[in-house]
């Protein structure tokens, strides 16, 4: 494969094949491999009008010993089903999901970036209701497509700090809404804040809890984590944020490093006290934050990546690339 592996960003580069599963008459089929990325859809499909559309994101890594490993795919299978349950969509068998993801990687093996390039194969499962409808109700037919894209860093520069801007005018989620699932609509709702953030020179918008706007929720595409001056790992506890598999894994790594871990409400004012702040997620891995803008206030965490974030990044990517022992059995070999 002729590709500039070390120059990959987070752009859509179609890999060789995608896999599609269809749900009809109450059951999923066995899936088919497609080389085309086009799809035929009825214009009245539920997903286009009423938004039954959920997705996932996970990565496969080419490892130091030449093997290929997928990071915790069974967790994505579970979260896909938690999203499906909330939007009354068809659940997908979890073992079949993991098998499908492995098959997808095998079908696209030449697109898994080489070890040492810093890249990975991003896997994007997307499920949508295809039943033609004009009245608002749930679909009875669904499609699940697994696509793969070779990616590098989400924000240019890898472990380079970005600036964030607290969204003052808009929420991405409602207090009892869909913030805790991976519904496509959440991302549509976040675009306007993301645009405002970019206009202020920030890479990313940070959202407050939609009920009171007093506590930190999460970034538009990732969870919020902070390191206190006395070395604790702190992350938000909120019913309107996505339960991040990366954050969950980092909390375990932090405990392994002997750091106290606190998952709790984080008042906005506490931003003034943190030593290090980062965004974490599959796409962004750990992205350190240099400044957070909050109205006319600015919190500054410095240009240098802090020592705890560096160590967390080192261990996390070490486990993924097979440079560090996988003590918790997170890697699923293909
Ligand atoms: N929060 C949001 C809104 C996200 O889109 C993502 C990305 O998946 C995350 C958090 C991080 O979740 P994960 O670590 O499972 O990728
Ligand atoms: C991920 O990190 O996998 C995401 O889905 C975030 C984003 C690209 C929407």
């Amino acid at each position: 494969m002729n590709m500039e592996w070390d120059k990959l960003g987070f752009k859509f580069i179609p890999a060789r094949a995608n896999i599609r599963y269809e749900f009809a008459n109450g059951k999923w089929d066995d899936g088919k491999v497609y080389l085309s990325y086009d799809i035929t859809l009825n214009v009245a499909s539920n997903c286009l009008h009423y938004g039954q559309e959920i997705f996932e994101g996970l990565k496969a890594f080419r490892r130091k010993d030449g093997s290929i490993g997928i990071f915790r795919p069974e967790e994505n299978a579970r979260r896909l089903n938690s999203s499906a349950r909330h939007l009354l969509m068809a659940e997908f068998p979890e073992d079949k999901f993991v098998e499908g993801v492995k098959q997808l990687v095998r079908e696209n093996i030449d697109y898994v970036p080489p070890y040492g390039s810093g890249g990975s194969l991003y896997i994007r499962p997307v499920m949508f209701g295809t039943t033609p409808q004009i009245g608002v109700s749930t679909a009875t037919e669904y499609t699940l497509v697994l696509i793969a894209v070779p990616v590098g860093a989400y924000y240019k520069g890898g472990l380079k700090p970005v600036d964030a801007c607290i969204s003052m005018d808009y929420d991405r989620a409602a207090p009892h809404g869909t913030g805790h699932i991976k519904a496509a609509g959440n991302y549509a709702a976040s675009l306007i804040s993301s645009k405002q953030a970019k206009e202020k020179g920030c890479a990313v918008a940070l959202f407050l809890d939609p009920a009171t706007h007093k506590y930190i929720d999460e970034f538009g595409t990732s969870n919020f984590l902070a390191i206190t001056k006395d070395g604790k790992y702190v992350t938000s506890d909120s019913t309107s944020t996505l339960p991040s598999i990366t954050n969950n894994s980092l909390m375990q790594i932090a405990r392994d490093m002997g750091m106290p871990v606190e998952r709790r409400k984080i008042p906005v004012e506490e931003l003034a006290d943190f030593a290090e702040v980062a965004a974490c997620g599959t796409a962004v891995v750990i992205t350190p934050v240099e400044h957070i803008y909050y109205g006319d206030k600015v919190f500054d965490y410095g240009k240098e990546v802090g020592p705890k974030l560096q160590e967390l990044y080192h261990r996390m990517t070490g486990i993924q690339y097979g440079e560090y022992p996988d003590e918790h059995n997170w890697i699923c070999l293909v």
Side-chain angles (χ1 to χ4, degrees):
M1 185 63 49
N2 197 8
M3 219 177 292
E4 290 194 280
W5 297 112
D6 51 353
K7 298 217 170 62
L8 291 172
F10 205 85
K11 286 193 303 272
F12 178 62
I13 300 172
R16 193 185 76 89
N18 57 86
I19 305 180
R20 304 182 194 179
Y21 300 87
E22 306 291 343
F23 179 87
N25 304 315
K27 62 181 202 333
W28 286 101
D29 70 8
D30 290 331
K32 268 199 209 107
V33 175
Y34 286 77
L35 300 183
S36 164
Y37 278 72
D38 295 335
I39 196 157
T40 301
L41 209 54
N42 188 300
V43 290
S45 290
N46 172 305
C47 61
L48 298 177
H49 298 254
Y50 303 128
Q52 274 191 312
E53 212 266 69
I54 56 179
F55 70 99
E56 272 305 321
L58 63 163
K59 281 177 172 171
F61 300 85
R62 213 179 274 275
R63 296 154 57 79
K64 199 173 175 190
D65 64 2
S67 63
I68 293 177
I70 307 170
F71 191 71
R72 307 190 77 178
E74 62 293 336
E75 292 297 317
N76 296 89
R78 283 174 36 193
R79 192 171 61 189
L80 181 78
N81 281 340
S82 128
S83 301
R85 280 193 297 277
H86 191 84
L87 295 193
L88 303 183
M89 297 169 68
E91 290 187 52
F92 192 82
E94 291 172 14
D95 48 354
K96 186 165 171 155
F97 177 95
V98 173
E99 275 316 307
V101 166
K102 283 184 173 175
Q103 189 192 347
L104 181 78
V105 175
R106 280 188 228 108
E107 296 285 348
N108 295 294
I109 206 99
D110 295 341
Y111 288 82
V112 188
Y115 173 73
S117 66
S120 55
L121 189 71
Y122 183 73
I123 298 157
R124 167 56 61 82
V126 57
M127 191 201 289
F128 41 91
T130 55
T131 309
Q133 282 166 335
I134 205 66
V136 180
S137 65
T138 58
T140 49
E141 282 95 29
Y142 295 91
T143 299
L144 171 68
V145 187
L146 309 178
I147 67 170
V149 182
V151 299
Y154 192 80
Y155 302 112
K156 269 199 211 97
L159 195 62
K160 200 177 123 236
V162 298
D163 287 345
C165 178
I166 293 185
S167 179
M168 306 295 278
D169 301 328
Y170 308 101
D171 296 319
R172 70 179 273 284
H176 300 281
T178 55
H180 63 295
I181 61 164
K182 217 161 163 57
N186 297 344
Y187 299 82
S190 76
L191 293 173
I192 192 159
S193 303
S194 168
K195 177 169 179 274
Q196 286 187 332
K198 285 188 180 117
E199 282 163 1
K200 291 187 184 136
C202 294
V204 59
L206 177 59
F207 292 89
L208 301 180
D209 79 285
T212 69
H213 300 111
K214 285 187 184 154
Y215 304 99
I216 306 290
D217 246 8
E218 65 173 335
F219 299 98
T221 55
S222 47
N223 272 186
F224 174 93
L225 80 90
I227 310 294
T228 60
K229 289 187 177 133
D230 58 355
K232 290 187 194 128
Y233 183 115
V234 180
T235 192
S236 325
D237 187 16
S238 163
T239 52
S240 49
T241 60
L242 191 74
S244 155
I245 297 159
T246 311
N247 195 4
N248 180 281
S249 311
L250 288 170
M251 284 190 260
Q252 183 58 53
I253 294 174
R255 284 186 210 104
D256 296 345
M257 284 162 60
M259 294 169 71
V261 172
E262 292 179 359
R263 181 174 205 163
R264 58 167 168 83
K265 292 209 176 305
I266 304 173
V268 185
E269 301 74 46
E270 202 179 341
L271 288 177
D273 302 334
F274 293 130
E276 305 175 43
V277 166
C280 69
T282 299
V284 305
V285 195
I286 298 178
T287 296
V289 174
E290 181 179 351
H291 298 108
I292 298 180
Y293 294 90
Y294 177 44
D296 51 14
K297 284 203 190 81
V298 52
F299 303 99
D300 187 346
Y301 305 101
K303 259 195 182 22
E304 300 303 318
V305 182
K308 294 283 195 237
L309 289 180
Q310 282 201 24
E311 180 64 14
L312 288 164
Y313 181 86
H314 177 74
R315 291 206 192 199
M316 178 68 152
T317 54
I319 294 169
Q320 293 172 330
Y321 288 112
E323 298 153 347
Y324 208 89
D326 176 23
E327 284 166 12
H328 304 286
N329 287 318
W330 286 338
I331 302 301
C332 166
L333 291 175
V334 174

